PDB file of all heavy atoms in Angstrom:
ATOM      1  N   ALA A  64      15.400  13.189  31.182  1.00  0.00           N
ATOM      2  CA  ALA A  64      16.700  12.544  31.343  1.00  0.00           C
ATOM      3  C   ALA A  64      16.954  11.666  30.125  1.00  0.00           C
ATOM      4  O   ALA A  64      16.058  10.958  29.673  1.00  0.00           O
ATOM      5  CB  ALA A  64      16.738  11.702  32.618  1.00  0.00           C
ATOM      6  N   HIS A  65      18.171  11.742  29.597  1.00  0.00           N
ATOM      7  CA  HIS A  65      18.506  10.893  28.455  1.00  0.00           C
ATOM      8  C   HIS A  65      19.945  10.422  28.579  1.00  0.00           C
ATOM      9  O   HIS A  65      20.783  11.058  29.241  1.00  0.00           O
ATOM     10  CB  HIS A  65      18.312  11.647  27.129  1.00  0.00           C
ATOM     11  CG  HIS A  65      19.202  12.840  26.959  1.00  0.00           C
ATOM     12  ND1 HIS A  65      20.508  12.753  26.518  1.00  0.00           N
ATOM     13  CD2 HIS A  65      18.965  14.158  27.169  1.00  0.00           C
ATOM     14  CE1 HIS A  65      21.040  13.957  26.463  1.00  0.00           C
ATOM     15  NE2 HIS A  65      20.133  14.834  26.856  1.00  0.00           N
ATOM     16  N   ALA A  66      20.221   9.278  27.962  1.00  0.00           N
ATOM     17  CA  ALA A  66      21.577   8.745  27.965  1.00  0.00           C
ATOM     18  C   ALA A  66      22.479   9.668  27.155  1.00  0.00           C
ATOM     19  O   ALA A  66      22.128  10.073  26.046  1.00  0.00           O
ATOM     20  CB  ALA A  66      21.592   7.336  27.393  1.00  0.00           C
ATOM     21  N   ALA A  67      23.639  10.014  27.704  1.00  0.00           N
ATOM     22  CA  ALA A  67      24.516  10.984  27.050  1.00  0.00           C
ATOM     23  C   ALA A  67      24.976  10.500  25.685  1.00  0.00           C
ATOM     24  O   ALA A  67      25.101  11.292  24.743  1.00  0.00           O
ATOM     25  CB  ALA A  67      25.720  11.276  27.943  1.00  0.00           C
ATOM     26  N   ASP A  68      25.227   9.205  25.531  1.00  0.00           N
ATOM     27  CA  ASP A  68      25.709   8.675  24.257  1.00  0.00           C
ATOM     28  C   ASP A  68      24.587   8.142  23.373  1.00  0.00           C
ATOM     29  O   ASP A  68      24.837   7.668  22.270  1.00  0.00           O
ATOM     30  CB  ASP A  68      26.745   7.569  24.498  1.00  0.00           C
ATOM     31  CG  ASP A  68      26.172   6.422  25.322  1.00  0.00           C
ATOM     32  OD1 ASP A  68      25.058   6.579  25.862  1.00  0.00           O
ATOM     33  OD2 ASP A  68      26.838   5.377  25.433  1.00  0.00           O
ATOM     34  N   ASP A  69      23.350   8.210  23.847  1.00  0.00           N
ATOM     35  CA  ASP A  69      22.204   7.740  23.068  1.00  0.00           C
ATOM     36  C   ASP A  69      20.979   8.547  23.481  1.00  0.00           C
ATOM     37  O   ASP A  69      20.128   8.073  24.241  1.00  0.00           O
ATOM     38  CB  ASP A  69      21.975   6.245  23.313  1.00  0.00           C
ATOM     39  CG  ASP A  69      20.834   5.692  22.455  1.00  0.00           C
ATOM     40  OD1 ASP A  69      20.368   6.420  21.545  1.00  0.00           O
ATOM     41  OD2 ASP A  69      20.410   4.544  22.708  1.00  0.00           O
ATOM     42  N   PRO A  70      20.861   9.800  22.993  1.00  0.00           N
ATOM     43  CA  PRO A  70      19.768  10.671  23.444  1.00  0.00           C
ATOM     44  C   PRO A  70      18.380  10.106  23.186  1.00  0.00           C
ATOM     45  O   PRO A  70      17.419  10.524  23.838  1.00  0.00           O
ATOM     46  CB  PRO A  70      19.996  11.954  22.627  1.00  0.00           C
ATOM     47  CG  PRO A  70      21.445  11.930  22.262  1.00  0.00           C
ATOM     48  CD  PRO A  70      21.782  10.481  22.068  1.00  0.00           C
ATOM     49  N   GLY A  71      18.269   9.167  22.240  1.00  0.00           N
ATOM     50  CA  GLY A  71      16.963   8.583  21.995  1.00  0.00           C
ATOM     51  C   GLY A  71      16.466   7.730  23.139  1.00  0.00           C
ATOM     52  O   GLY A  71      15.268   7.462  23.264  1.00  0.00           O
ATOM     53  N   ARG A  72      17.381   7.297  24.009  1.00  0.00           N
ATOM     54  CA  ARG A  72      16.986   6.552  25.204  1.00  0.00           C
ATOM     55  C   ARG A  72      16.710   7.575  26.301  1.00  0.00           C
ATOM     56  O   ARG A  72      17.637   8.103  26.927  1.00  0.00           O
ATOM     57  CB  ARG A  72      18.105   5.594  25.614  1.00  0.00           C
ATOM     58  CG  ARG A  72      17.767   4.725  26.813  1.00  0.00           C
ATOM     59  CD  ARG A  72      18.899   3.781  27.154  1.00  0.00           C
ATOM     60  NE  ARG A  72      19.119   2.800  26.106  1.00  0.00           N
ATOM     61  CZ  ARG A  72      20.025   1.822  26.182  1.00  0.00           C
ATOM     62  NH1 ARG A  72      20.798   1.722  27.256  1.00  0.00           N
ATOM     63  NH2 ARG A  72      20.163   0.966  25.195  1.00  0.00           N
ATOM     64  N   ALA A  73      15.446   7.894  26.493  1.00  0.00           N
ATOM     65  CA  ALA A  73      15.080   9.011  27.360  1.00  0.00           C
ATOM     66  C   ALA A  73      13.848   8.673  28.185  1.00  0.00           C
ATOM     67  O   ALA A  73      13.105   7.740  27.894  1.00  0.00           O
ATOM     68  CB  ALA A  73      14.819  10.264  26.521  1.00  0.00           C
TER      69      ALA A  73
END
Side-chain angles (χ1 to χ4, degrees):
H65 63 82
D68 59 350
D69 183 10
R72 183 179 294 183

